[in-house]
Amino acid sequence: MNYKFTKKSAFLSALIFATANFSLSAVAQDLYQLTVHKTSSCGCCKKWVSHIEEAGIETKIINHEHLTSVKAQYSIEPRYQSCHTAVDQHGVVFEGHIPAKFIRQFQANPLPNVVGLSVPAMPLGSPGMEFNDRFQPYEILLLMNDGSSKVYKKVSTYEEQFN
């Protein structure tokens, strides 16, 4: 076969390739990008961000002097709060030391009427809260639009947090 490659066909090929690449990168970013609101001095927040980034989730960090207004903006009641708040581009909230594994699971299968996920307080041994080999079992909560919560996952062992 004899194909004639013209400037027009080269332009169309480049346009199709660029559009396909843009669409794929937009989908990838759409799934795994978080804006993390934290204070600049919090060491455990920095460790959690490293955990998230090592799992392939892109982050944008915004340091605040105080997080009270951020928590109020995203309707995170005091009983569900932790030291940092992450939000994806759809407005889904990930409050506290949630393992990347569970963020990915939730983003792959979002639920209706949910603000997001929360690990209240700062459980020992959760990502960013590692201390020697100590671990405190904890629950990851679904934060419902009506202000209530439900258990999303129970994390009973350190190993359950990863892959």
Side-chain angles (χ1 to χ4, degrees):
M1 294 193 162
N2 190 6
Y3 291 103
K4 188 173 182 181
F5 199 69
T6 64
K7 287 183 182 178
K8 184 178 180 179
S9 63
F11 173 76
L12 288 174
S13 296
L15 182 63
I16 291 168
F17 179 76
T19 303
N21 277 345
F22 175 77
S23 296
L24 289 175
S25 66
V27 167
Q29 287 178 356
D30 191 45
L31 292 176
Y32 303 114
Q33 186 179 38
L34 296 175
T35 299
V36 181
H37 301 272
K38 64 180 207 58
T39 60
S40 61
S41 61
C42 186
C44 66
C45 293
K46 291 174 188 173
K47 289 180 184 179
W48 182 80
V49 167
S50 293
H51 162 76
I52 294 299
E53 290 174 342
E54 287 169 9
I57 299 174
E58 289 186 33
T59 60
K60 175 184 173 187
I61 308 301
I62 300 177
N63 287 313
H64 300 265
E65 188 122 347
H66 304 284
L67 292 169
T68 307
S69 62
V70 172
K71 310 289 185 189
Q73 177 184 352
Y74 294 105
S75 303
I76 304 165
E77 295 184 22
R79 67 180 179 261
Y80 305 129
Q81 293 179 7
S82 185
C83 56
H84 59 267
T85 302
V87 184
D88 73 10
Q89 51 273 55
H90 303 292
V92 178
V93 172
F94 298 96
E95 176 73 9
H97 292 266
I98 303 166
K101 167 186 173 178
F102 298 111
I103 291 173
R104 286 182 182 267
Q105 285 177 8
F106 183 81
Q107 288 181 321
N109 298 297
L111 300 170
N113 303 313
V114 173
V115 172
L117 299 178
S118 173
V119 171
M122 300 160 66
L124 194 60
S126 61
M129 290 297 299
E130 296 88 354
F131 181 73
N132 296 328
D133 60 352
R134 296 177 61 192
F135 177 79
Q136 172 187 356
Y138 62 93
E139 295 177 338
I140 301 170
L141 303 177
L142 286 168
L143 300 181
M144 309 306 291
N145 285 339
D146 66 4
S148 66
S149 68
K150 297 179 182 177
V151 175
Y152 177 68
K153 299 284 181 180
K154 290 184 179 190
V155 181
S156 301
T157 67
Y158 179 81
E159 293 75 21
E160 285 179 71
Q161 302 176 100
F162 310 101
N163 301 331

